[in-house]
Amino acid sequence: MSLRIGLNATCFTERPSGANQRFRHLLGALIHLRPDWHFIIYEPRDVRVAAWFAPCPNVEARVTPLPAEGRIARLAAGLGYWRRALRADRLDLFESFHLPAVIAPDCPTLLTIHDLRPVRPDAPRAMRLIAAPVLHHALKRSRLTLAVSDRVAEELRAFHPGARARRLYNGVRPEDFAHPGEAACTAARARWALPGRFVLSVGHLEPRKNFGQAIDAINVLRAQGRDVPLVVVGNPGGAEEALQAAIARHRLGASVRLLSGVSGDDLRAMYHLADLLLFPSTYEGFGIPLVEAMAAGLPVAASDTPVFRELAGEAARFFALGDPAGTAAAIAALWDNPAERAALAEAGRGRLARHDFTVLAEELAAIYREVTGR
C-alpha cells in the first residue's frame, strides 16, 4: 500500500557531516527500495535537498521559507508555515531530523537523534536550560525516536523515562572507501606532504574530539625514542588554537599535522595510506570514522567509551580517556605489529554488514509500516 511520507530536511546544508551522510544515503536507499511510496522533501529556501535524489519520480520538493542555517531563524520562519503545509499535503508519516522538532498535526511524527550533547552535564548551563525542555517536548510528542546507536537510545530513556526510542544505526557505503588506486594515493601523499607511515585521526577540530590526548600520546612516544607521525584531518571547530599550542609546547611541529579542507577523495586515500586510525573522542553518539576505517580495512585504536565498544567490539584496541601513556601504548602495539593490524582490519570488515544502507533502509521501511499501521 502506498504511503505519503514527509521529510523535514530544512536543517541540511551541503557541508559534510554524519547527519548529512545518513540522510543522503539512508533515505536515498529507501526511496529506491519503495518506488510505490511518495516522499515529500521539505527543503530550506537556500539548499536544493531534493535534488540529491534526482531523478526519482517518487520524490517531490517543497521549498519552504526556512533557512538552512540558524535554529532560531528556522523556528521563527516556520511558525506560520508548518501546520498549514502539513495538513495540505495529507501525509501518512512525517519525520524530523533536528530540534526543535516539528510535530505533524494529523499523522505520526518520527524523530531522529544523533546524540545528547546539548543536555549532557558538561554542556554550558545556558544551553542545557534551553535544550532540556525542547528535547523533553520532542520525545513526549513524537510517536517514535530513532537513535543512531543503542547507547544513544539508552541515554534518551534515561533522560526522559518512557521515551519510545529505537536504534537504527548509521551506515557506510564500502565502495566509497575501497582502495582508490596507487596513482590517487601517490597524488594525495604528495599534495599533503604525508610521511611514509603515519597515524590518522579524523573529525572536526572540536574539544570533544579530544585530539589533545592524541598529541600528548605522540609526545610520550617521542620521549621513548619513537618517531610516530600523527595526521589529524578535520575542519575548524573551535579547538584549533589549543591544539596548535599543544603541538608547540611539546615541540612536535615535525610530527603532528592538522589538515583542513581535505577532499573526500584525498581522505579516502589517507584511510589506505595510514597504518591505523586513532579515535580519542570523549563523547559521540555514533562515530562515523570508525565504520569508514572498517570499510577501508584500517585498524582502529579508540577511546574506551560505551558507544565505541558497541560499534567496534573486537575490531579495535581501546585506551582510557585521560591516559596519554595508555594511548601511546595502544598506538605502539599496532604500529609495531602488522599481524594485529591485519587481524583488527579483518574483524572490522566482519562488522560492516549491519551498517549497509540497503539493510538499514529495509529496517526503516519496516518501522514506517509499523508506525503507520500499514
Side-chain angles (χ1 to χ4, degrees), residues 215-283:
I215 293 169
D216 290 343
I218 297 300
N219 187 53
V220 170
L221 290 169
R222 189 185 62 174
Q224 297 171 353
R226 307 173 64 91
D227 179 22
V228 179
L230 171 66
V231 175
V232 181
V233 176
N235 292 324
E240 305 90 298
E241 289 187 10
L243 295 176
Q244 291 289 5
I247 293 169
R249 183 172 65 253
H250 294 314
R251 299 180 180 178
L252 290 173
S255 299
V256 179
R257 303 275 308 284
L258 305 181
L259 305 182
S260 295
V262 175
S263 69
D265 287 342
D266 280 354
L267 177 59
R268 175 184 180 182
M270 289 178 190
Y271 273 117
H272 288 274
L273 291 168
D275 279 61
L276 65 128
L277 177 78
L278 181 65
F279 203 12
S281 288
T282 59
Y283 177 75

Side-chain angles (χ1 to χ4, degrees), residues 196-200 270-277 298-299 334-335 341:
R197 297 183 67 192
F198 62 94
V199 173
L200 177 67
M270 289 178 190
Y271 273 117
H272 288 274
L273 291 168
D275 279 61
L276 65 128
L277 177 78
L298 183 65
L334 294 180
W335 187 262
R341 293 201 303 272

Side-chain angles (χ1 to χ4, degrees), residues 172-186:
V172 65
R173 298 196 304 178
E175 64 270 24
D176 289 344
F177 294 92
H179 198 291
E182 291 303 326
C185 287
T186 299

